Amino acid sequence: MNKMEQEPFEKITQTQLMEYAQISGDLNPIHIDEGVAKELGYQTNFAHGMLILGLITRWVQDRYKSYQLSSINTRFISPIYKEESLYYSESIKESEVLDVEIISEKNIRKLIATVNLSKR
């Protein structure tokens, strides 16, 4: 397996969370209200899953311009909190298949995904 180095991934901001909530219509307070998230036992409010999938899709498409993403199978392991420093790593599982991980600065695995690509 061809393992790549961890690279800094996008740090999610409160502005992004608010904008995504408005666009998607997902106004669940655990994503946009720090107080509510803390009352429910979380460190702070955290990203919508579909926001993160969109960022991963953009990341992969920017890296593999001669391919298109044909499917992504994702498992969220831990919330991706706002302002959390994140790192992206991938390994080539087989031709046109990537294993992707998003990991926090504290080395906590946040997400794993299998990304299937196809030639354009």
Side-chain angles (χ1 to χ4, degrees):
M1 209 182 292
N2 182 17
K3 188 76 172 172
M4 296 182 71
E5 293 295 314
Q6 291 182 358
E7 299 177 47
F9 191 65
E10 189 141 351
K11 188 181 278 194
I12 306 302
T13 66
Q14 181 67 28
T15 300
Q16 282 176 297
L17 295 175
M18 295 301 291
E19 288 174 351
Y20 187 82
Q22 294 287 321
I23 291 167
S24 69
D26 182 350
L27 301 173
N28 187 327
I30 62 173
H31 297 303
I32 57 177
D33 187 320
E34 182 174 3
V36 169
K38 285 183 173 183
E39 282 177 24
L40 294 171
Y42 296 100
Q43 293 175 14
T44 188
N45 50 318
F46 53 92
H48 302 75
M50 291 304 293
L51 171 60
I52 299 302
L53 288 178
L55 294 171
I56 290 171
T57 297
R58 183 182 69 198
W59 185 275
V60 169
Q61 289 178 328
D62 286 349
R63 294 168 72 88
Y64 297 94
K65 294 185 186 312
S66 61
Y67 292 86
Q68 62 186 14
L69 192 145
S70 57
S71 69
I72 184 168
N73 183 358
T74 307
R75 186 170 137 224
F76 289 89
I77 299 169
S78 179
I80 294 176
Y81 295 108
K82 73 174 179 186
E83 302 301 332
E84 185 173 36
S85 294
L86 301 169
Y87 297 89
Y88 172 98
S89 67
E90 68 182 34
S91 58
I92 299 172
K93 185 174 180 177
E94 56 190 73
S95 178
E96 301 181 356
V97 179
L98 306 174
D99 281 334
V100 172
E101 288 184 330
I102 302 295
I103 302 161
S104 76
E105 64 190 327
K106 296 176 182 172
N107 207 31
I108 296 170
R109 188 185 264 177
K110 297 293 184 163
L111 171 152
I112 56 175
T114 301
V115 178
N116 293 290
L117 304 170
S118 58
K119 276 284 199 192
R120 290 189 187 268

